[in-house]
Amino acid sequence: MGITHGDTNGIGYEIILKMLEDTRLADLCTVTVYGSAKAASFYRKAMELPPVQFNRVDSAADAKENAFNIVNVVGEDLKIDPGMPAEAAGVAALSALEAAVADLRNGDIDVLVTAPINKHTIQSPTFHFPGHTEYLETSLSDGDKNSKALMVLCAGELRVALVTTHVPVSKVSEAITKEVIVEKLELFDRSLRRDFGVQAPRIAVLSLNPHAGEEGLLGTEEAEVIAPALAEARDKRIVAFGPYAADGFFGSGNYKAFDGVLAMYHDQGLAPFKTLAMDAGVNFTAGLPFVRTSPDHGTGYDIAGKNEASPESLRNALYAAIDIFRNRASYDEAYSRPLRRQHTDKSERPEKSDKNEKSEKQ
């Protein structure tokens, strides 16, 4: 289990330290934190948290099994200023992320859990992405054009995926095409089966416009883009329904009838999700060859260093990463050598002689 420390001026260390207070986690997995022993010590003392025993290692390859390890990826001169966005904090966040991704690709860690970053301060010549999802899609796809990332927010049976992620609202409509929706539905359907163990997923698809466009009165994307995408997805044996008007879909409880919900844009899906499952929610990057999860909240600058942050979402992200890793292994084993076809179509059967037909009737 690799865990990146995220923005060092945010709540990353607080939630990591609080989560690791439960030493029973070491019986469940081997943890390697990519960060700074100095920063961990600073936050522990500043908030008077119980001590966490870290085993300092040079890389995850040297990690002590069933223990809490830490790899220093930043220098001792790191300035820590809780609650304040800073370039140095962004550099530290990127250093941890790059080191963890390298170890993930090398097989030194099995799964990755990321603490929150500041999407502005982390920008650099090597990180020019709007978030973790887009960066990981580029870094972990192994050059496979078919390896696409899908943002999925999950909490228990509630799973919400997004057609568009970190896109300005003014550009959402032009980013939504029939091809993109079908692609996301294929990714979501596969993820529900392989990552979450749902054998026959039912997916609800939300509309883009208010009241699902009111038959063209409030927009035409439902009829011209979303409905044709749903028809094509059904031809591919994906069980998808909609488009549903988004305003009352969650409040009415309709989401409970489905295994997953596909929203058109970021806040359409995340606002209701976080209302229903803020502390328990997990952000999962589906569609990639590696498992990555994170808590569903941000850096929490307003409460950084005040001992007010809850580790529940991070803890659930760790549990989810383990579950998804195991689900994938079970799924891949089950489908690695499928049974050969045991019957033939009528047209393929050899013709019977009159004698054989008479014998069969008797």
Side-chain angles (χ1 to χ4, degrees):
M1 175 72 62
I3 302 176
T4 57
H5 64 181
D7 190 291
T8 51
N9 289 344
I11 60 174
Y13 272 105
E14 180 179 348
I15 59 177
I16 290 172
L17 292 170
K18 285 181 176 179
M19 180 181 69
L20 298 183
E21 286 176 12
D22 188 348
T23 57
R24 293 175 298 177
L25 287 176
D27 297 328
L28 186 63
C29 59
T30 298
V31 171
T32 298
V33 175
Y34 294 84
S36 163
K38 174 188 173 182
S41 177
F42 171 88
Y43 278 104
R44 186 191 69 77
K45 292 176 181 177
M47 292 179 289
E48 299 181 345
L49 298 174
V52 173
Q53 185 63 45
F54 280 114
N55 177 45
R56 298 191 188 188
V57 294
D58 293 328
S59 72
D62 304 319
K64 183 178 179 181
E65 290 189 13
N66 299 110
F68 302 148
N69 304 274
I70 189 165
V71 177
N72 281 316
V73 296
V74 293
E76 291 295 314
D77 59 343
L78 173 67
K79 183 181 178 181
I80 301 171
D81 195 0
M84 298 300 295
E87 182 181 348
V91 171
L94 181 56
S95 297
L97 185 58
E98 289 178 333
V101 167
D103 282 353
L104 191 63
R105 294 178 63 90
N106 291 335
D108 294 326
I109 57 175
D110 294 309
V111 296
L112 174 62
V113 177
T114 58
I117 60 172
N118 181 315
K119 295 176 178 60
H120 176 70
T121 61
I122 198 174
Q123 296 298 314
S124 74
T126 56
F127 191 104
H128 44 82
F129 305 91
H132 273 119
T133 303
E134 295 81 2
Y135 170 81
L136 293 170
E137 181 179 68
T138 300
S139 302
L140 298 177
S141 61
D142 291 327
D144 183 1
K145 294 181 179 179
N146 296 319
S147 184
K148 299 288 186 179
L150 176 71
M151 183 185 290
V152 180
L153 279 293
C154 51
E157 300 302 310
L158 174 60
R159 308 174 189 96
V160 179
L162 305 177
V163 174
T164 61
T165 52
H166 303 109
V167 175
V169 174
S170 61
K171 297 183 179 180
V172 167
S173 180
E174 63 187 67
I176 293 175
T177 65
K178 184 185 78 169
E179 291 73 23
V180 169
I181 294 173
V182 172
E183 176 187 271
K184 300 299 183 180
L185 280 170
E186 289 179 313
L187 287 170
F188 200 15
D189 181 76
R190 177 165 173 77
S191 178
L192 289 169
R193 295 172 187 273
R194 185 172 180 240
D195 300 327
F196 295 98
V198 181
Q199 292 186 359
R202 291 165 50 88
I203 302 173
V205 178
L206 301 184
S207 63
L208 174 64
N209 296 297
H211 310 299
E214 291 282 12
E215 298 185 4
L217 181 65
L218 301 178
T220 60
E221 285 86 354
E222 283 71 26
E224 296 177 358
V225 179
I226 301 176
L230 286 169
E232 183 173 330
R234 293 187 194 109
D235 289 340
K236 296 175 180 285
R237 304 182 69 119
I238 296 172
V239 183
F241 302 87
Y244 294 101
D247 58 350
F249 184 80
F250 290 92
S252 65
N254 283 349
Y255 70 91
K256 296 178 183 178
F258 300 92
D259 301 296
V261 180
L262 184 67
M264 290 296 114
Y265 58 94
H266 187 277
D267 286 11
Q268 184 188 55
L270 268 60
F273 176 87
K274 292 186 178 183
T275 301
L276 292 167
M278 182 65 187
D279 288 336
V282 173
N283 182 352
F284 165 53
T285 306
L288 299 180
F290 301 94
V291 176
R292 174 261 174 171
T293 63
S294 74
D296 70 345
H297 55 71
T299 55
Y301 284 142
D302 56 327
I303 59 172
K306 297 179 181 179
N307 197 10
E308 297 178 9
S310 169
E312 184 177 355
S313 185
L314 180 66
R315 185 182 297 112
N316 285 336
L318 181 144
Y319 292 152
I322 294 173
D323 288 343
I324 291 168
F325 181 80
R326 291 174 174 171
N327 286 343
R328 282 189 177 186
S330 297
Y331 182 94
D332 292 346
E333 181 180 3
Y335 286 88
S336 62
R337 298 179 64 189
L339 291 173
R340 289 182 298 175
R341 192 172 167 185
Q342 298 297 308
H343 67 276
T344 57
D345 294 333
K346 248 184 182 181
S347 60
E348 297 175 357
R349 295 174 185 167
E351 293 185 7
K352 298 178 182 178
S353 65
D354 292 340
K355 182 178 181 182
N356 287 339
E357 282 190 9
K358 185 177 180 181
S359 176
E360 282 189 3
K361 290 176 182 179
Q362 290 176 345

